[in-house]
Amino acid sequence: MPRLALYALVVCVLSVAAAVVAFAQGSLLGIVWVLLAGLSSNMTWYYARRAKALRQRDAAAASANR
């Protein structure tokens, strides 16, 4: 998994934990944490899929050059 996807995954997990704590304390700030979790989740998915597509493209190019 690429580094940016791992960073986004860490941010996602931490923001979910922060949202749980915020809602448990009765704070509506948890809504912001939920939104950040959604954004970072999408970033994780994007960077992981992008890396996979690049690996497949490179493998196809390498096999075509043989």
Side-chain angles (χ1 to χ4, degrees):
M1 186 176 279
R3 187 178 303 158
L4 285 175
L6 287 176
Y7 290 157
L9 181 62
V10 168
V11 169
C12 181
V13 170
L14 291 175
S15 60
V16 167
V20 168
V21 170
F23 283 130
Q25 292 178 350
S27 172
L28 290 179
L29 188 61
I31 294 171
V32 175
W33 291 115
V34 169
L35 293 174
L36 182 62
L39 176 67
S40 60
S41 171
N42 287 340
M43 288 174 62
T44 301
W45 178 85
Y46 170 77
Y47 285 122
R49 293 288 296 175
R50 180 176 174 233
K52 182 179 177 183
L54 290 175
R55 279 194 310 268
Q56 289 175 348
R57 185 194 69 186
D58 293 343
S63 66
N65 289 336
R66 290 183 181 193

